[in-house]
Amino acid sequence: MKLYYITLNNTDEARQISRSLLEQKLAVCVNWFPITCAYIWQEEITEEPEVVLIVKTQAGYRHEIEKLISQHISYTNFIAEISPTNINDKFLAWLNAEVPIVYSE
């Protein structure tokens, strides 16, 4: 299993990307929530609202997820792949039933 932590500009982007991920069976579940982002830009500290999208999926879908996101946004955002451990059995059963496992050679 993999989690993807993705930053976006607003909830509309998160909603559209989430629906596309679910429709294409690239995720079993997604969550999004507002945050405040502080960063350095042109030697000044800037603060602005962002949205975090968390994608719950199988391993092996990073390329497809990044490609789908790039179809919805054109700016540089943050995408991090996280490998969780000790996932509850019922959730894994649901994930395995809904999102095909990618077998690598």
Side-chain angles (χ1 to χ4, degrees):
M1 178 185 183
K2 296 290 183 183
L3 296 177
Y4 289 93
Y5 181 102
I6 302 164
T7 57
L8 301 167
N9 281 336
N10 56 59
T11 57
D12 288 337
E13 289 174 351
R15 183 176 288 107
Q16 291 171 2
I17 291 169
S18 295
R19 292 192 63 81
S20 293
L21 288 167
L22 295 168
E23 288 166 354
Q24 294 183 35
K25 298 277 188 187
L26 295 175
V28 70
C29 180
V30 294
N31 308 106
W32 65 85
F33 51 91
I35 62 169
T36 300
C37 179
Y39 59 94
I40 296 175
W41 180 253
Q42 297 179 342
E43 299 183 25
E44 291 190 29
I45 296 175
T46 302
E47 288 185 22
E48 60 186 32
E50 273 188 336
V51 172
V52 169
L53 178 66
I54 297 177
V55 178
K56 300 168 193 167
T57 190
Q58 301 283 13
Y61 284 100
R62 181 180 181 94
H63 177 73
E64 289 89 348
I65 290 170
E66 287 186 11
K67 183 177 176 184
L68 185 143
I69 291 168
S70 70
Q71 294 170 357
H72 290 271
I73 64 170
S74 59
Y75 57 88
T76 301
N77 70 325
F78 178 78
I79 302 173
E81 182 179 274
I82 302 167
S83 300
T85 58
N86 302 318
I87 311 305
N88 59 311
D89 292 337
K90 287 185 179 184
F91 186 89
L92 285 177
W94 177 41
L95 173 64
N96 292 336
E98 296 296 330
V99 179
I101 295 173
V102 177
Y103 294 100
S104 59
E105 296 181 27

